[in-house]
Amino acid sequence: MAQERREMVEQLKFYGITNLRVLDAFMTVKRHLFVDEQSRPYAYDDCAWPIGYGQTISQPFTVAFMTSLLVERRPSGRVLEIGTGSGYQSAILDALGYQVFTIERVPGLFEMAGRALDELGVPVARRLGDGTLGWPEEAPFDGIIVTAAAPDQPSTLLSQLADGGVMVVPVGDLASQEMTVIRRVGSRFEHEVFQRFAFVPLCGREGWPESN
Ligand code: SAH
């Protein structure tokens, strides 16, 4: 699978991912171990594959784009991910040297991702529950990555950002969302907005209702 992984990295470069640390992480992490049997032969295609429970592993470009936004603004420290899903984004953040915390709301995915990360020996702190409430006992975080579509800026999560910390979050409706970067500067928040993506919904108290 090393050849497929190299080709994926070449494609990421072609799509405009330039950060060498990010490209290195994509070269290191074995994505095929985070998808199910059927998707394994296609694990390195630039696609979002189903991982069960109506959820998907984000496509490599999306993971690379979000990770680059974080790395370029806050290159090290403690990062909280909302939406563990397959565990792939957690493993990428770990490969970059971040101390990683991740929250998933679906018990089956929480367990599946846990098994994959444990087998690879990736030390990620995991929690089952509503990620829109954050992880107050471990706050503040240098980075927060939300890997599901938020209807609005998640304000409880913003309150758990360290000074100078950065949140990367897709904000929009259920059809598409603008990738948004919010940086905490003292008591102010600075915003940057990037291209649109289509994520599965962020559910929970500061997300969409559970039925979505
Ligand atoms: N980062 C994942 C992407 C998974 S898709 C990966 O690399 O594979 C988004 C995930 O967010 C889904 O697993 C979904 O169950 C989860 N999710 C949605 N709302 C959530 C919430 N409020 N708290 C925690 N996880 C949530």
Side-chain angles (χ1 to χ4, degrees):
M1 289 281 175
Q3 179 58 25
E4 282 92 335
R5 204 152 48 246
R6 252 192 300 281
E7 283 166 16
M8 173 187 70
V9 169
E10 286 309 312
Q11 197 175 20
L12 290 175
K13 285 190 203 164
F14 180 76
Y15 287 150
I17 303 296
T18 54
N19 188 284
L20 294 180
R21 284 182 60 207
V22 173
L23 293 169
D24 254 5
F26 276 79
M27 201 55 236
T28 308
V29 178
K30 296 187 168 75
R31 181 170 163 93
H32 62 279
L33 302 181
F34 294 91
V35 299
D36 61 23
E37 288 297 328
Q38 289 132 296
S39 309
R40 205 152 279 181
Y42 320 105
Y44 293 96
D45 293 4
D46 197 29
C47 292
W49 299 108
I51 52 174
Y53 310 91
Q55 309 301 324
T56 52
I57 177 171
S58 303
Q59 78 183 77
F61 175 73
T62 307
V63 179
F65 191 86
M66 294 180 86
T67 306
S68 300
L69 291 173
L70 175 67
V71 167
E72 284 158 10
R73 289 163 183 76
R74 195 80 170 187
S76 63
R78 297 150 53 82
V79 173
L80 174 65
E81 175 197 26
I82 310 305
T84 316
S86 65
Y88 181 66
Q89 169 82 75
S90 301
I92 290 283
L93 292 168
D94 170 74
L96 282 156
Y98 290 107
Q99 187 183 349
V100 186
F101 300 80
T102 185
I103 307 178
E104 172 58 52
R105 64 186 274 273
V106 177
L109 291 174
F110 172 77
E111 277 158 33
M112 251 170 50
R115 271 197 300 276
L117 292 166
D118 284 345
E119 268 169 40
L120 289 167
V122 178
V124 169
R126 302 187 298 267
R127 183 175 203 169
L128 176 65
D130 179 4
T132 68
L133 307 177
W135 197 326
E137 302 84 352
E138 294 290 352
F141 297 98
D142 298 285
I144 300 180
I145 284 199
V146 182
T147 67
D152 246 312
Q153 294 176 37
S155 56
T156 300
L157 286 172
L158 282 177
S159 73
Q160 296 180 17
L161 266 185
D163 195 9
V166 168
M167 180 187 295
V168 183
V169 54
V171 180
D173 55 29
L174 290 169
S176 78
Q177 309 85 33
E178 285 176 324
M179 192 57 72
T180 308
V181 172
I182 308 170
R183 181 199 282 271
R184 179 177 207 149
V185 187
S187 56
R188 283 185 308 113
F189 290 97
E190 294 175 353
H191 291 72
E192 295 170 88
V193 175
F194 297 87
Q195 67 193 67
R196 298 191 85 88
F197 289 84
F199 280 81
V200 296
L202 176 72
C203 299
R205 201 175 74 186
E206 291 179 28
W208 298 95
E210 298 290 327
S211 54
N212 284 294

